Amino acid sequence: MNRLSDEALAHLRDVTERPELPGDRYEIHERLGRGGMGTVWRATDRELARDVAVKVMTLPAASDRERGRLQREAHILARLEHPGIVPIHDIGQLADGRLWYAMKLVRGVALDRAVESVSALPARLRLFLRLCETVEFAHVQGVIHRDLKPANVMVGPFGEVLVMDWGVAKVLGEPEEGEPAAPPSAGAADASGGAATDGGAATDSTSPGTVLGTPGWMAPEQAAGRAHTVDPRADVFGLGRILHALVGSEPPRRLAAIVARAEASRPEDRYGTASELAADIDRFLSGTAVSAYREGALEKLGRLVERHRVAILLLLAYVVMRSLLFLWGDR
Amino acid sequence: MNRPLLGVLLGLVLGALDGSTAWFTAPELRPEVLGIVFGSCTKGLLVGLVTGFAVRKTGSLLRGLVVGTIVALAFTIPIAIMNANYYDNATYYWKIILPGAITGMLVGYATVRYGRRAQPRGA
């Protein structure tokens, strides 16, 4: 008996899993990716004649909690209208009960891959500033992402930065499914819950003591299972980890201090908001003093010289030229 | 500070400093040093004003440098030629034109680097 090739198997799986959306508005094409909660497909919106991305729950028999989470993600996307957040166009339900929603098709690459072609530190930091701006916007709207990592940040062909995967986001002031009336104590947390994912999509459970997020990228308080109690500083930690990855192993001291403050273990030692972090990066880029680093007099002088080096060089050139002309003229 | 105003102030200050160097570089002109400083200030003011207007919308420091140099030379060379008959010195032109050019570079660079960029119309 002939065995099916891997390619043929993948094709068969693709065909059998391909969702059939009600009506004939959307034509589903290839699968773009698969996460913890759902699978994303490229589709054509026939009504508006444009390509879109359609996210469909992976399992028909998903629990109410999983359905609720996908629905909440769609609602969060609808609520966050910002150039750095993928807009949602449509939402619905398949015949087998699975939820789906259509959103803008993002043509880009994940941040970690995008920066491979961006070697200059200032250019990388400017990308990071756009990310901070989006996260700050979400915070102002009362939404904490809770799963910030390079894989969840897409960079478009024109340098646009989009924050993806709001599946484990928390809306401040709104109780989550499974959330206790009072925050669980640290002792009750079960950090070994195993619900966190390793580099892939984050878990979709919010039971007290359960870990939400991605190991290595989530804040310590989140890793300790206190997902319900986290505030915007958990995202500041995620931003700090991303910044750490962007600046390499030997960043300038002032930048290293910014990274260290952003990814401090205790929330109270971090920047209070994403915009405070962005302001320090902005100050670093413009050569002014950053709040995360107390510099000595010599360092301050060195920074000022570096910041105004062209003007200083021109002044020196003027003095040298004047002196030479003076000596030459006396001959 | 907007760029034309910054250009004017820088031109005045640098012009005054440039003119006052005549006290050391040309001792024979000490009786006339006030007039030289006044003339240099006026030249600096005009260079700063023209440069500041010319670069008020640019984001390019290089353009600032080039524009400042050209404007300064446009003012300095005619003045140097007009006064050439009074001086019989091989370094005369260099003494006038080179400082003027570097001062112009400084004005152009500093105006773009430190001045507030004008917003495009309708922005």
Side-chain angles (χ1 to χ4, degrees):
Chain A
M1 190 174 74
N2 285 339
R3 293 180 65 186
L4 283 171
S5 69
D6 287 349
E7 257 180 41
L9 266 175
H11 179 72
L12 273 175
R13 193 183 302 137
D14 210 46
V15 169
T16 49
E17 286 183 5
R18 189 177 297 261
E20 288 191 11
L21 269 53
D24 59 356
R25 179 170 178 178
Y26 298 101
E27 182 188 351
I28 298 286
H29 303 295
E30 75 275 12
R31 182 168 52 202
L32 297 174
R34 186 199 292 267
M37 273 202 311
T39 306
V40 181
W41 301 80
R42 186 176 73 84
T44 300
D45 178 350
R46 293 192 181 101
E47 219 165 273
L48 294 172
R50 63 178 175 182
D51 277 357
V52 295
V54 173
K55 186 169 185 176
V56 186
M57 280 175 69
T58 309
L59 300 169
S63 68
D64 284 348
R65 182 174 291 173
E66 285 163 334
R67 286 169 53 85
R69 188 169 291 289
L70 194 83
Q71 198 161 26
R72 212 162 55 86
E73 180 180 23
H75 287 164
I76 287 172
L77 285 176
R79 176 176 176 163
L80 299 176
E81 284 187 63
H82 187 274
I85 296 167
V86 183
I88 185 166
H89 301 317
D90 200 358
I91 188 166
Q93 192 170 335
L94 299 183
D96 60 11
R98 282 185 290 166
L99 282 179
W100 61 271
Y101 65 78
M103 58 187 157
K104 178 185 173 182
L105 177 64
V106 177
R107 299 178 197 278
V109 291
L111 182 64
D112 44 358
R113 277 192 51 210
V115 295
E116 286 171 6
S117 59
V118 182
S119 55
L121 183 61
R124 288 180 171 210
L125 293 179
R126 277 191 280 275
L127 279 179
F128 181 74
L129 282 178
R130 274 179 241 149
L131 170 60
C132 286
E133 192 185 287
T134 303
V135 174
E136 176 65 16
F137 170 80
H139 290 171
V140 169
Q141 303 298 314
V143 179
I144 306 170
H145 188 284
R146 294 197 293 194
D147 195 21
L148 290 173
K149 56 185 176 183
N152 281 345
V153 179
M154 296 287 281
V155 180
F158 301 104
E160 62 270 36
V161 176
L162 291 132
V163 181
M164 315 289 290
D165 206 345
W166 296 78
V168 297
K170 175 183 171 68
V171 181
L172 293 170
E174 281 182 17
E176 290 179 277
E177 214 174 326
E179 186 173 358
S185 67
D190 175 16
S192 62
T197 57
D198 188 12
T203 174
D204 58 358
S205 171
T206 55
S207 299
T210 305
V211 179
L212 282 171
T214 305
W217 299 99
M218 65 177 133
E221 64 270 25
Q222 218 174 309
R226 301 193 299 273
H228 298 304
T229 63
V230 299
D231 62 18
R233 290 173 296 183
D235 278 351
V236 169
F237 182 91
L239 287 170
R241 300 295 290 170
I242 292 174
L243 181 62
H244 194 143
L246 289 181
V247 301
S249 54
E250 287 182 12
R253 278 186 198 172
R254 295 186 307 131
L255 188 54
I258 295 175
V259 174
R261 184 168 170 193
E263 57 180 9
S265 300
R266 300 184 330 154
E268 55 270 31
D269 293 336
R270 292 177 210 144
Y271 293 95
T273 62
S275 62
E276 281 178 27
L277 168 59
D280 242 4
I281 294 290
D282 211 25
R283 282 190 281 267
F284 173 79
L285 281 171
S286 62
T288 52
V290 301
S291 71
Y293 185 69
R294 182 176 288 183
E295 56 193 1
L298 273 179
E299 283 176 308
K300 190 172 185 175
L301 182 67
R303 178 174 55 75
L304 287 173
V305 168
E306 174 68 19
R307 187 180 176 205
H308 305 290
R309 65 181 185 280
V310 176
I312 291 170
L313 278 174
L314 284 171
L315 277 171
L316 280 175
Y318 178 85
V319 171
V320 169
M321 180 269 309
R322 267 287 182 208
S323 306
L324 288 175
L325 284 174
F326 179 60
L327 294 173
W328 186 24
D330 275 1
R331 281 184 186 174
Chain B
M1 191 181 297
N2 69 57
R3 288 179 179 174
L5 181 59
L6 181 61
V8 165
L9 291 177
L10 275 171
L12 273 174
V13 172
L14 292 174
L17 287 174
D18 191 39
S20 58
T21 57
W23 182 269
F24 306 102
T25 57
E28 71 279 9
L29 295 176
R30 281 181 184 176
E32 301 165 37
V33 79
L34 271 180
I36 292 172
V37 169
F38 179 77
S40 190
C41 278
T42 309
K43 187 185 77 183
L45 184 150
L46 292 170
V47 169
L49 185 67
V50 175
T51 304
F53 266 110
V55 300
R56 68 190 186 282
K57 287 180 183 173
T58 187
S60 161
L61 291 169
L62 182 64
R63 185 174 290 183
L65 277 169
V66 172
V67 170
T69 310
I70 290 172
V71 174
L73 288 176
F75 278 86
T76 307
I77 291 174
I79 292 171
I81 291 170
M82 280 191 292
N83 294 328
N85 292 336
Y86 298 108
Y87 305 98
D88 183 22
N89 190 325
T91 60
Y92 166 73
Y93 280 105
W94 293 117
K95 279 182 172 177
I96 301 290
I97 292 170
L98 271 181
I102 295 188
T103 310
M105 275 186 193
L106 254 171
V107 170
Y109 172 80
T111 306
V112 175
R113 173 76 171 77
Y114 304 109
R116 195 181 67 239
R117 189 177 182 174
Q119 292 301 314
R121 211 175 274 271

